[in-house]
Amino acid sequence: MKKLTLPLAAAALVAMPALATAQEAEAGLTAPHTQYILTSLLFLVGGFLVFWMAAGFAMLEAGLVRSKNVTMQLTKNIALFSLAAIMYWLVGFNLMYPGDAWTIPGFLGAFSPTSLEPVGLEGTATALDYASVGSDFFFQLMFCATTASIVSGTLAERVKLWPFLIFVVVLTGIIYPIEASWQWGGGWLSEMGFSDFAGSTLVHAAGGFAALAGAIVLGPRIGKYKDGKTIPMPGSNLALATLGTFILWLGWFGFNGGSQLAMGTIGDMADISRIFANTNMAAAAGAVAALVLTQVMYKKPDLTMILNGALAGLVSITAEPLAPSLFQSLIIGSVGGGIVVFAVPFLDKLKIDDVVGAIPVHLIAGFWGTIIVAWTNSDANVVTQFIGFAAIGIFVFVVSLIGFLVLRSFIGIRVDEEDEVHGLDMAELGMEAYPEFQAS
């Protein structure tokens, strides 16, 4: 019997962690290091899904502009993402997430570059944060770049490349990180009780407000409005636009699902699954709403409206994709899709030329999504939601308007009339997306 004592003792020691793990599992918990690994993985997977949205925006815009401007849109999209990556490292991330290093508490974060953990976490304390800094930085960067992508489509076909990119530097390095810090960085909106789960206001409406400011300063395309009428300017490739929409739809699962910000418990995993289902339902409902409304109003379905209807449904559910039921998500998404059908012609009446419909999709549907949070989330209220939306909208619109006016005054932001007529591809870049289709 004595010979069995040591093996039994060893077996008991081995079994103790297993019993603890079983108890944690019963409570839906995992060990801290496992939570760290799983949440970091969520950020990385969610991040590269949101990165794929950059391709979606590029394809959507390339399909909705005329063929003479396609190369310009593709250039802007890859350049704006690259600039966003650099600016978010240089200053954006710590402006947005200052921790205890606020320059003005609750309003203005820290001005410093982002630093990652050492290789292998060598020399660091044994206590782990909830996720790796690298995964968090990577995930949050994608939201920053998305904000700039929204502006690109609205200003298409008449904005100069370099002034636009200068604005992107300011938007991604300063404007977006500051307003996002008010909520996600623990700033004053967060303290007030404002709720925006994944960015209907902080990302989408902010991009929409910046786009609106740019469209006002830039003015409409030549020939868009004539004798009180809106002249249609069909895009070059609706197949590309449709592909772009499906890519954005796919990327949105990372956008909303990753915003759970945790994957270390059974509850987290169930919530992420719920977010995916609600996100998909809202997109589908937005597309169907636009399909039906355009059939009723114009006697024929309009594909571009249907595409934007799906995107508006996605924007609408982004402020609160967790709390709603599937039926509530359907209602929220369908209203978002309906908003697009009515908002696009309304903007044309105001002679605000939005080439791809980004303002209705991201700004107006973003407002709807932010306000309706109070319907499904008992911790939110309509007044606080409105205050938060208004504060971010005013800040982004005013600073963006000043930025575009300064650029227009000092270097100009609009191409010459002749260059606009012949297309920005040749005027700004000297190359065409479809050279074989151009007249010799």
Side-chain angles (χ1 to χ4, degrees), residues 23 75 199-200 331 418 421:
Q23 291 171 350
T75 303
S200 285
I331 298 300
E418 182 179 355
V421 170

Side-chain angles (χ1 to χ4, degrees), residues 133-395:
V133 174
S135 67
D136 194 11
F137 168 77
F138 178 75
F139 181 65
Q140 300 300 338
L141 160 63
M142 302 307 157
F143 286 66
C144 178
T146 297
T147 308
S149 297
I150 295 166
V151 183
S152 172
T154 295
L155 308 185
E157 302 200 326
R158 73 270 200 207
V159 70
K160 291 181 178 179
L161 176 62
W162 287 106
F164 170 76
L165 295 181
I166 291 172
F167 177 76
V168 167
V169 168
V170 177
L171 178 65
T172 58
I174 304 295
I175 299 174
Y176 169 76
I178 289 177
E179 55 93 0
S181 75
W182 295 350
Q183 174 66 15
W184 291 338
W188 69 278
L189 283 180
S190 177
E191 294 291 329
M192 188 177 68
F194 180 67
S195 181
D196 190 357
F197 192 96
S200 285
T201 291
L202 274 67
V203 178
H204 295 282
F209 275 112
L212 177 61
I216 291 172
V217 175
L218 198 59
R221 289 168 288 176
I222 295 172
K224 179 63 179 177
Y225 306 112
K226 186 176 182 180
D227 299 328
K229 296 181 180 180
T230 300
I231 308 302
M233 294 182 172
S236 62
N237 193 325
L238 291 184
L240 277 186
T242 303
L243 174 63
T245 301
F246 274 116
I247 292 173
L248 288 167
W249 193 326
L250 172 64
W252 230 287
F253 296 124
F255 202 98
N256 287 357
S259 295
Q260 174 70 9
L261 304 182
M263 200 170 69
T265 70
I266 293 172
D268 287 332
M269 204 60 236
D271 286 350
I272 293 168
S273 304
R274 183 183 177 97
I275 289 167
F276 272 48
N278 283 338
T279 298
N280 190 69
M281 178 62 80
V288 171
L291 169 67
V292 173
L293 280 173
T294 52
Q295 174 67 54
V296 171
M297 295 173 63
Y298 306 120
K299 309 305 179 185
K300 292 180 180 179
D302 184 325
L303 175 60
T304 60
M305 289 287 195
I306 297 168
L307 300 179
N308 276 332
L311 297 177
L314 289 162
V315 171
S316 300
I317 200 65
T318 294
E320 184 49 80
L322 175 59
S325 66
L326 285 171
F327 177 71
Q328 289 173 317
S329 299
L330 182 147
I331 298 300
I332 292 168
S334 61
V335 173
I339 284 172
V340 168
V341 176
F342 292 102
V344 168
F346 176 72
L347 284 181
D348 282 331
K349 288 182 179 179
L350 298 177
K351 295 186 177 180
I352 296 174
D353 187 9
D354 180 357
V355 177
V356 303
I359 294 171
V361 168
H362 298 278
L363 196 165
I364 304 177
F367 173 74
W368 156 248
T370 301
I371 296 301
I372 200 61
V373 168
W375 180 37
T376 60
N377 186 339
S378 59
D379 294 329
N381 69 79
V382 172
V383 174
T384 303
Q385 293 300 101
F386 181 82
I387 291 172
F389 182 89
I392 290 172
I394 292 170
F395 170 74

